[in-house]
Amino acid sequence: MSATSGELGAAFRLAMRRFPAAVSVITSADQSRRHGMTATAVTSLSLDPPSLVVCINKTTLLHDIIQVGRHFCVNVLRRDQSELSCAFSGAVAPEARFGHGTWLTSAEGVSYLAEAQANIFCRKVAAVPYGTHTIFIGEAEAVHVHDPIEPLIYQDTKYCSSVAQEAPIASTPA
């Protein structure tokens, strides 16, 4: 069964809405600007070297800044930070976004969220253009992790939170 390009795009979008993802705010800076944007297209790439992938739309200001800058930070949000996610999704003007939450600045000049679930400070090592986005590969240079584990999740255009399941008890043979 073959679908038209429009049908395939709609089906793909629908499938991706069912794909739960942790919500992060990606931040970066160049010589004169800082910016941050909410993203769910973040994933680990390698443990050796520790690295991750972020996918950023080419039409965004953050894309331009990461292209020019050498560092970025992935700020993994906590389940109670959906308002901050909305602010960094475009509900608030770019520089005013940093008025939400407690933001500190790394030695490289990149803003990071003090109360994030985790902060992963990366050095950009590659940029691969693909379609409407660029895949940025960042090598982790420092990581801050904060307990308890309560990430903000985004699924089907709604914010959610995860609930840990207990491992099933293995049955013993009779």
Side-chain angles (χ1 to χ4, degrees):
M1 175 181 192
S2 138
T4 67
S5 176
E7 289 170 340
L8 178 60
F12 185 77
R13 181 181 301 246
L14 190 60
M16 291 298 98
R17 287 177 64 168
R18 285 155 173 72
F19 194 89
V23 180
S24 298
V25 170
I26 313 300
T27 53
S28 189
D30 61 17
Q31 295 78 13
S32 60
R33 306 170 292 179
R34 71 174 176 166
H35 191 60
M37 184 180 86
T38 301
T40 56
V42 177
T43 193
S44 63
L45 176 61
S46 171
L47 288 176
D48 187 17
S51 51
L52 54 75
V53 170
V54 298
C55 302
I56 307 293
N57 192 301
K58 294 175 185 176
T59 63
T60 66
L61 175 59
L62 183 63
H63 180 276
D64 294 345
I65 292 173
I66 292 178
Q67 279 283 56
V68 173
R70 297 179 50 199
H71 294 88
F72 62 89
C73 183
V74 175
N75 301 276
V76 182
L77 299 187
R78 303 176 78 82
R79 69 178 180 167
D80 61 351
Q81 294 175 319
S82 59
E83 286 184 28
L84 190 136
S85 173
C86 289
F88 279 81
S89 292
V92 175
E95 191 56 35
R97 296 173 185 183
F98 292 98
H100 298 265
T102 303
W103 292 90
L104 304 174
T105 304
S106 72
E108 293 77 24
V110 177
S111 298
Y112 67 97
L113 183 62
E115 60 269 1
Q117 181 73 72
N119 311 98
I120 306 168
F121 301 89
C122 296
R123 178 176 50 86
K124 179 184 69 180
V125 295
V128 180
Y130 187 82
T132 58
H133 286 62
T134 295
I135 302 160
F136 291 102
I137 299 172
E139 189 171 311
E141 296 187 316
V143 177
H144 300 168
V145 179
H146 308 281
D147 288 326
I149 302 171
E150 299 176 328
L152 180 62
I153 306 294
Y154 193 72
Q155 179 182 338
D156 197 23
T157 70
K158 296 175 188 69
Y159 290 109
C160 311
S161 59
S162 63
V163 177
Q165 272 186 249
E166 292 195 28
I169 299 172
S171 60
T172 56

